[in-house]
PDB file of all heavy atoms in Angstrom:
ATOM      1  N   THR A   1      -9.682   5.283  15.600  1.00 96.00           N
ATOM      2  CA  THR A   1      -9.838   6.721  15.822  1.00 96.00           C
ATOM      3  C   THR A   1     -10.244   7.373  14.512  1.00 96.00           C
ATOM      4  O   THR A   1      -9.553   7.225  13.505  1.00 96.00           O
ATOM      5  CB  THR A   1      -8.530   7.342  16.329  1.00 96.00           C
ATOM      6  OG1 THR A   1      -8.175   6.719  17.564  1.00 96.00           O
ATOM      7  CG2 THR A   1      -8.689   8.834  16.551  1.00 96.00           C
ATOM      8  N   ARG A   2     -11.365   8.070  14.516  1.00 96.00           N
ATOM      9  CA  ARG A   2     -11.857   8.663  13.281  1.00 96.00           C
ATOM     10  C   ARG A   2     -10.989   9.848  12.870  1.00 96.00           C
ATOM     11  O   ARG A   2     -10.721  10.730  13.699  1.00 96.00           O
ATOM     12  CB  ARG A   2     -13.292   9.136  13.472  1.00 96.00           C
ATOM     13  CG  ARG A   2     -14.087   9.178  12.177  1.00 96.00           C
ATOM     14  CD  ARG A   2     -15.167  10.243  12.196  1.00 96.00           C
ATOM     15  NE  ARG A   2     -14.596  11.541  11.831  1.00 96.00           N
ATOM     16  CZ  ARG A   2     -15.306  12.652  11.693  1.00 96.00           C
ATOM     17  NH1 ARG A   2     -16.603  12.622  11.919  1.00 96.00           N
ATOM     18  NH2 ARG A   2     -14.734  13.773  11.350  1.00 96.00           N
ATOM     19  N   PRO A   3     -10.498   9.870  11.625  1.00 96.00           N
ATOM     20  CA  PRO A   3      -9.766  11.046  11.158  1.00 96.00           C
ATOM     21  C   PRO A   3     -10.606  12.310  11.320  1.00 96.00           C
ATOM     22  O   PRO A   3     -11.827  12.293  11.119  1.00 96.00           O
ATOM     23  CB  PRO A   3      -9.508  10.736   9.678  1.00 96.00           C
ATOM     24  CG  PRO A   3      -9.533   9.242   9.585  1.00 96.00           C
ATOM     25  CD  PRO A   3     -10.558   8.820  10.595  1.00 96.00           C
ATOM     26  N   ARG A   4      -9.953  13.401  11.671  1.00 93.00           N
ATOM     27  CA  ARG A   4     -10.695  14.635  11.942  1.00 93.00           C
ATOM     28  C   ARG A   4     -11.349  15.190  10.692  1.00 93.00           C
ATOM     29  O   ARG A   4     -12.482  15.660  10.735  1.00 93.00           O
ATOM     30  CB  ARG A   4      -9.750  15.674  12.551  1.00 93.00           C
ATOM     31  CG  ARG A   4      -9.237  15.286  13.933  1.00 93.00           C
ATOM     32  CD  ARG A   4      -8.348  16.348  14.514  1.00 93.00           C
ATOM     33  NE  ARG A   4      -9.068  17.599  14.743  1.00 93.00           N
ATOM     34  CZ  ARG A   4      -8.511  18.717  15.206  1.00 93.00           C
ATOM     35  NH1 ARG A   4      -7.210  18.726  15.491  1.00 93.00           N
ATOM     36  NH2 ARG A   4      -9.230  19.794  15.396  1.00 93.00           N
ATOM     37  N   ALA A   5     -10.654  15.154   9.574  1.00 95.00           N
ATOM     38  CA  ALA A   5     -11.219  15.673   8.333  1.00 95.00           C
ATOM     39  C   ALA A   5     -12.263  14.702   7.796  1.00 95.00           C
ATOM     40  O   ALA A   5     -12.012  13.498   7.682  1.00 95.00           O
ATOM     41  CB  ALA A   5     -10.125  15.897   7.297  1.00 95.00           C
ATOM     42  N   ALA A   6     -13.439  15.224   7.460  1.00 96.00           N
ATOM     43  CA  ALA A   6     -14.531  14.360   6.992  1.00 96.00           C
ATOM     44  C   ALA A   6     -14.140  13.576   5.751  1.00 96.00           C
ATOM     45  O   ALA A   6     -14.463  12.386   5.631  1.00 96.00           O
ATOM     46  CB  ALA A   6     -15.771  15.210   6.716  1.00 96.00           C
ATOM     47  N   VAL A   7     -13.421  14.205   4.834  1.00 96.00           N
ATOM     48  CA  VAL A   7     -13.075  13.517   3.590  1.00 96.00           C
ATOM     49  C   VAL A   7     -12.113  12.369   3.859  1.00 96.00           C
ATOM     50  O   VAL A   7     -12.200  11.310   3.232  1.00 96.00           O
ATOM     51  CB  VAL A   7     -12.496  14.518   2.561  1.00 96.00           C
ATOM     52  CG1 VAL A   7     -11.156  15.087   3.022  1.00 96.00           C
ATOM     53  CG2 VAL A   7     -12.373  13.862   1.189  1.00 96.00           C
ATOM     54  N   ARG A   8     -11.207  12.537   4.834  1.00 97.00           N
ATOM     55  CA  ARG A   8     -10.285  11.449   5.181  1.00 97.00           C
ATOM     56  C   ARG A   8     -11.023  10.317   5.893  1.00 97.00           C
ATOM     57  O   ARG A   8     -10.725   9.142   5.701  1.00 97.00           O
ATOM     58  CB  ARG A   8      -9.156  11.975   6.067  1.00 97.00           C
ATOM     59  CG  ARG A   8      -8.242  12.983   5.426  1.00 97.00           C
ATOM     60  CD  ARG A   8      -7.209  12.316   4.510  1.00 97.00           C
ATOM     61  NE  ARG A   8      -7.747  11.976   3.196  1.00 97.00           N
ATOM     62  CZ  ARG A   8      -7.854  12.830   2.186  1.00 97.00           C
ATOM     63  NH1 ARG A   8      -7.458  14.082   2.347  1.00 97.00           N
ATOM     64  NH2 ARG A   8      -8.335  12.457   1.025  1.00 97.00           N
ATOM     65  N   ALA A   9     -11.991  10.667   6.729  1.00 97.00           N
ATOM     66  CA  ALA A   9     -12.784   9.645   7.406  1.00 97.00           C
ATOM     67  C   ALA A   9     -13.559   8.819   6.394  1.00 97.00           C
ATOM     68  O   ALA A   9     -13.644   7.589   6.502  1.00 97.00           O
ATOM     69  CB  ALA A   9     -13.731  10.293   8.412  1.00 97.00           C
ATOM     70  N   LEU A  10     -14.129   9.481   5.392  1.00 97.00           N
ATOM     71  CA  LEU A  10     -14.859   8.754   4.358  1.00 97.00           C
ATOM     72  C   LEU A  10     -13.903   7.881   3.548  1.00 97.00           C
ATOM     73  O   LEU A  10     -14.234   6.740   3.205  1.00 97.00           O
ATOM     74  CB  LEU A  10     -15.598   9.729   3.435  1.00 97.00           C
ATOM     75  CG  LEU A  10     -16.461   9.089   2.343  1.00 97.00           C
ATOM     76  CD1 LEU A  10     -17.501   8.146   2.938  1.00 97.00           C
ATOM     77  CD2 LEU A  10     -17.136  10.166   1.491  1.00 97.00           C
ATOM     78  N   ASP A  11     -12.706   8.393   3.265  1.00 97.00           N
ATOM     79  CA  ASP A  11     -11.713   7.585   2.551  1.00 97.00           C
ATOM     80  C   ASP A  11     -11.382   6.310   3.327  1.00 97.00           C
ATOM     81  O   ASP A  11     -11.260   5.228   2.743  1.00 97.00           O
ATOM     82  CB  ASP A  11     -10.427   8.390   2.336  1.00 97.00           C
ATOM     83  CG  ASP A  11     -10.566   9.451   1.256  1.00 97.00           C
ATOM     84  OD1 ASP A  11     -11.528   9.366   0.462  1.00 97.00           O
ATOM     85  OD2 ASP A  11      -9.711  10.356   1.213  1.00 97.00           O
ATOM     86  N   LEU A  12     -11.243   6.434   4.642  1.00 98.00           N
ATOM     87  CA  LEU A  12     -10.930   5.257   5.450  1.00 98.00           C
ATOM     88  C   LEU A  12     -12.088   4.271   5.427  1.00 98.00           C
ATOM     89  O   LEU A  12     -11.877   3.056   5.294  1.00 98.00           O
ATOM     90  CB  LEU A  12     -10.609   5.665   6.889  1.00 98.00           C
ATOM     91  CG  LEU A  12     -10.297   4.513   7.855  1.00 98.00           C
ATOM     92  CD1 LEU A  12      -9.137   3.654   7.347  1.00 98.00           C
ATOM     93  CD2 LEU A  12     -10.007   5.039   9.258  1.00 98.00           C
ATOM     94  N   HIS A  13     -13.309   4.770   5.547  1.00 98.00           N
ATOM     95  CA  HIS A  13     -14.458   3.872   5.491  1.00 98.00           C
ATOM     96  C   HIS A  13     -14.516   3.129   4.153  1.00 98.00           C
ATOM     97  O   HIS A  13     -14.745   1.909   4.117  1.00 98.00           O
ATOM     98  CB  HIS A  13     -15.761   4.643   5.701  1.00 98.00           C
ATOM     99  CG  HIS A  13     -16.977   3.805   5.450  1.00 98.00           C
ATOM    100  ND1 HIS A  13     -17.397   2.823   6.317  1.00 98.00           N
ATOM    101  CD2 HIS A  13     -17.834   3.764   4.387  1.00 98.00           C
ATOM    102  CE1 HIS A  13     -18.468   2.215   5.818  1.00 98.00           C
ATOM    103  NE2 HIS A  13     -18.744   2.768   4.654  1.00 98.00           N
ATOM    104  N   LEU A  14     -14.300   3.848   3.057  1.00 97.00           N
ATOM    105  CA  LEU A  14     -14.344   3.209   1.740  1.00 97.00           C
ATOM    106  C   LEU A  14     -13.225   2.191   1.589  1.00 97.00           C
ATOM    107  O   LEU A  14     -13.403   1.141   0.954  1.00 97.00           O
ATOM    108  CB  LEU A  14     -14.266   4.268   0.640  1.00 97.00           C
ATOM    109  CG  LEU A  14     -15.476   5.210   0.553  1.00 97.00           C
ATOM    110  CD1 LEU A  14     -15.229   6.292  -0.495  1.00 97.00           C
ATOM    111  CD2 LEU A  14     -16.746   4.435   0.225  1.00 97.00           C
ATOM    112  N   LEU A  15     -12.060   2.491   2.170  1.00 97.00           N
ATOM    113  CA  LEU A  15     -10.949   1.545   2.133  1.00 97.00           C
ATOM    114  C   LEU A  15     -11.318   0.267   2.883  1.00 97.00           C
ATOM    115  O   LEU A  15     -11.049  -0.850   2.409  1.00 97.00           O
ATOM    116  CB  LEU A  15      -9.706   2.185   2.748  1.00 97.00           C
ATOM    117  CG  LEU A  15      -8.458   1.303   2.922  1.00 97.00           C
ATOM    118  CD1 LEU A  15      -8.031   0.686   1.596  1.00 97.00           C
ATOM    119  CD2 LEU A  15      -7.323   2.112   3.526  1.00 97.00           C
ATOM    120  N   LEU A  16     -11.961   0.398   4.042  1.00 98.00           N
ATOM    121  CA  LEU A  16     -12.364  -0.777   4.811  1.00 98.00           C
ATOM    122  C   LEU A  16     -13.446  -1.562   4.086  1.00 98.00           C
ATOM    123  O   LEU A  16     -13.427  -2.803   4.069  1.00 98.00           O
ATOM    124  CB  LEU A  16     -12.851  -0.353   6.199  1.00 98.00           C
ATOM    125  CG  LEU A  16     -11.801   0.313   7.096  1.00 98.00           C
ATOM    126  CD1 LEU A  16     -12.450   0.812   8.390  1.00 98.00           C
ATOM    127  CD2 LEU A  16     -10.657  -0.630   7.398  1.00 98.00           C
ATOM    128  N   ARG A  17     -14.382  -0.863   3.477  1.00 97.00           N
ATOM    129  CA  ARG A  17     -15.441  -1.537   2.717  1.00 97.00           C
ATOM    130  C   ARG A  17     -14.837  -2.349   1.570  1.00 97.00           C
ATOM    131  O   ARG A  17     -15.225  -3.498   1.315  1.00 97.00           O
ATOM    132  CB  ARG A  17     -16.419  -0.496   2.168  1.00 97.00           C
ATOM    133  CG  ARG A  17     -17.611  -1.090   1.418  1.00 97.00           C
ATOM    134  CD  ARG A  17     -18.446  -0.022   0.750  1.00 97.00           C
ATOM    135  NE  ARG A  17     -17.747   0.580  -0.381  1.00 97.00           N
ATOM    136  CZ  ARG A  17     -18.331   1.280  -1.346  1.00 97.00           C
ATOM    137  NH1 ARG A  17     -19.635   1.495  -1.298  1.00 97.00           N
ATOM    138  NH2 ARG A  17     -17.641   1.797  -2.331  1.00 97.00           N
ATOM    139  N   ARG A  18     -13.855  -1.747   0.883  1.00 96.00           N
ATOM    140  CA  ARG A  18     -13.195  -2.449  -0.215  1.00 96.00           C
ATOM    141  C   ARG A  18     -12.372  -3.626   0.301  1.00 96.00           C
ATOM    142  O   ARG A  18     -12.378  -4.703  -0.285  1.00 96.00           O
ATOM    143  CB  ARG A  18     -12.303  -1.468  -0.977  1.00 96.00           C
ATOM    144  CG  ARG A  18     -11.662  -2.045  -2.227  1.00 96.00           C
ATOM    145  CD  ARG A  18     -11.056  -0.959  -3.082  1.00 96.00           C
ATOM    146  NE  ARG A  18      -9.935  -0.292  -2.438  1.00 96.00           N
ATOM    147  CZ  ARG A  18      -9.901   0.998  -2.129  1.00 96.00           C
ATOM    148  NH1 ARG A  18     -10.947   1.769  -2.378  1.00 96.00           N
ATOM    149  NH2 ARG A  18      -8.836   1.523  -1.555  1.00 96.00           N
ATOM    150  N   PHE A  19     -11.660  -3.425   1.413  1.00 97.00           N
ATOM    151  CA  PHE A  19     -10.852  -4.483   2.009  1.00 97.00           C
ATOM    152  C   PHE A  19     -11.703  -5.711   2.332  1.00 97.00           C
ATOM    153  O   PHE A  19     -11.273  -6.846   2.120  1.00 97.00           O
ATOM    154  CB  PHE A  19     -10.187  -3.950   3.284  1.00 97.00           C
ATOM    155  CG  PHE A  19      -9.422  -4.978   4.066  1.00 97.00           C
ATOM    156  CD1 PHE A  19      -8.163  -5.389   3.656  1.00 97.00           C
ATOM    157  CD2 PHE A  19      -9.956  -5.535   5.219  1.00 97.00           C
ATOM    158  CE1 PHE A  19      -7.450  -6.347   4.373  1.00 97.00           C
ATOM    159  CE2 PHE A  19      -9.249  -6.491   5.940  1.00 97.00           C
ATOM    160  CZ  PHE A  19      -7.993  -6.889   5.515  1.00 97.00           C
ATOM    161  N   LEU A  20     -12.919  -5.488   2.808  1.00 97.00           N
ATOM    162  CA  LEU A  20     -13.823  -6.580   3.151  1.00 97.00           C
ATOM    163  C   LEU A  20     -14.474  -7.220   1.925  1.00 97.00           C
ATOM    164  O   LEU A  20     -15.178  -8.228   2.049  1.00 97.00           O
ATOM    165  CB  LEU A  20     -14.906  -6.081   4.110  1.00 97.00           C
ATOM    166  CG  LEU A  20     -14.419  -5.656   5.491  1.00 97.00           C
ATOM    167  CD1 LEU A  20     -15.524  -4.931   6.252  1.00 97.00           C
ATOM    168  CD2 LEU A  20     -13.916  -6.851   6.288  1.00 97.00           C
ATOM    169  N   GLY A  21     -14.264  -6.655   0.751  1.00 96.00           N
ATOM    170  CA  GLY A  21     -14.839  -7.208  -0.472  1.00 96.00           C
ATOM    171  C   GLY A  21     -16.312  -6.910  -0.649  1.00 96.00           C
ATOM    172  O   GLY A  21     -16.994  -7.564  -1.442  1.00 96.00           O
ATOM    173  N   LEU A  22     -16.819  -5.885   0.062  1.00 96.00           N
ATOM    174  CA  LEU A  22     -18.261  -5.637   0.046  1.00 96.00           C
ATOM    175  C   LEU A  22     -18.749  -4.986  -1.233  1.00 96.00           C
ATOM    176  O   LEU A  22     -19.948  -4.990  -1.509  1.00 96.00           O
ATOM    177  CB  LEU A  22     -18.653  -4.772   1.260  1.00 96.00           C
ATOM    178  CG  LEU A  22     -18.294  -5.364   2.623  1.00 96.00           C
ATOM    179  CD1 LEU A  22     -18.790  -4.455   3.733  1.00 96.00           C
ATOM    180  CD2 LEU A  22     -18.859  -6.774   2.778  1.00 96.00           C
ATOM    181  N   GLU A  23     -17.831  -4.449  -2.036  1.00 94.00           N
ATOM    182  CA  GLU A  23     -18.271  -3.841  -3.293  1.00 94.00           C
ATOM    183  C   GLU A  23     -18.179  -4.828  -4.461  1.00 94.00           C
ATOM    184  O   GLU A  23     -18.473  -4.473  -5.603  1.00 94.00           O
ATOM    185  CB  GLU A  23     -17.433  -2.592  -3.596  1.00 94.00           C
ATOM    186  CG  GLU A  23     -15.956  -2.843  -3.784  1.00 94.00           C
ATOM    187  CD  GLU A  23     -15.176  -1.564  -4.024  1.00 94.00           C
ATOM    188  OE1 GLU A  23     -15.667  -0.475  -3.691  1.00 94.00           O
ATOM    189  OE2 GLU A  23     -14.062  -1.665  -4.555  1.00 94.00           O
ATOM    190  N   GLN A  24     -17.796  -6.061  -4.174  1.00 96.00           N
ATOM    191  CA  GLN A  24     -17.701  -7.049  -5.243  1.00 96.00           C
ATOM    192  C   GLN A  24     -19.094  -7.503  -5.687  1.00 96.00           C
ATOM    193  O   GLN A  24     -19.996  -7.650  -4.858  1.00 96.00           O
ATOM    194  CB  GLN A  24     -16.866  -8.246  -4.771  1.00 96.00           C
ATOM    195  CG  GLN A  24     -15.414  -7.890  -4.551  1.00 96.00           C
ATOM    196  CD  GLN A  24     -14.616  -9.005  -3.896  1.00 96.00           C
ATOM    197  OE1 GLN A  24     -15.056 -10.150  -3.838  1.00 96.00           O
ATOM    198  NE2 GLN A  24     -13.447  -8.659  -3.382  1.00 96.00           N
ATOM    199  N   PRO A  25     -19.278  -7.722  -6.995  1.00 95.00           N
ATOM    200  CA  PRO A  25     -20.612  -8.036  -7.546  1.00 95.00           C
ATOM    201  C   PRO A  25     -21.000  -9.493  -7.330  1.00 95.00           C
ATOM    202  O   PRO A  25     -21.235 -10.249  -8.282  1.00 95.00           O
ATOM    203  CB  PRO A  25     -20.448  -7.698  -9.030  1.00 95.00           C
ATOM    204  CG  PRO A  25     -19.006  -7.993  -9.304  1.00 95.00           C
ATOM    205  CD  PRO A  25     -18.262  -7.604  -8.062  1.00 95.00           C
ATOM    206  N   LEU A  26     -21.088  -9.891  -6.072  1.00 96.00           N
ATOM    207  CA  LEU A  26     -21.331 -11.296  -5.749  1.00 96.00           C
ATOM    208  C   LEU A  26     -22.704 -11.755  -6.227  1.00 96.00           C
ATOM    209  O   LEU A  26     -22.845 -12.841  -6.805  1.00 96.00           O
ATOM    210  CB  LEU A  26     -21.202 -11.492  -4.236  1.00 96.00           C
ATOM    211  CG  LEU A  26     -20.729 -12.858  -3.739  1.00 96.00           C
ATOM    212  CD1 LEU A  26     -19.379 -13.214  -4.349  1.00 96.00           C
ATOM    213  CD2 LEU A  26     -20.653 -12.874  -2.232  1.00 96.00           C
ATOM    214  N   ALA A  27     -23.730 -10.928  -5.999  1.00 96.00           N
ATOM    215  CA  ALA A  27     -25.083 -11.325  -6.396  1.00 96.00           C
ATOM    216  C   ALA A  27     -25.176 -11.507  -7.909  1.00 96.00           C
ATOM    217  O   ALA A  27     -25.806 -12.468  -8.395  1.00 96.00           O
ATOM    218  CB  ALA A  27     -26.097 -10.276  -5.922  1.00 96.00           C
ATOM    219  N   GLU A  28     -24.553 -10.613  -8.666  1.00 97.00           N
ATOM    220  CA  GLU A  28     -24.577 -10.719 -10.124  1.00 97.00           C
ATOM    221  C   GLU A  28     -23.854 -11.972 -10.600  1.00 97.00           C
ATOM    222  O   GLU A  28     -24.300 -12.666 -11.514  1.00 97.00           O
ATOM    223  CB  GLU A  28     -23.945  -9.475 -10.760  1.00 97.00           C
ATOM    224  CG  GLU A  28     -24.734  -8.196 -10.546  1.00 97.00           C
ATOM    225  CD  GLU A  28     -24.311  -7.454  -9.277  1.00 97.00           C
ATOM    226  OE1 GLU A  28     -23.840  -8.119  -8.320  1.00 97.00           O
ATOM    227  OE2 GLU A  28     -24.460  -6.224  -9.252  1.00 97.00           O
TER     228      GLU A  28
END
């Protein structure tokens, strides 16, 4: 369920992106 506040929704997305390790510098 998407949080109603846009900033909280973005925080959740960034948390999930980090949880999946997608911001790790794998290519480098």
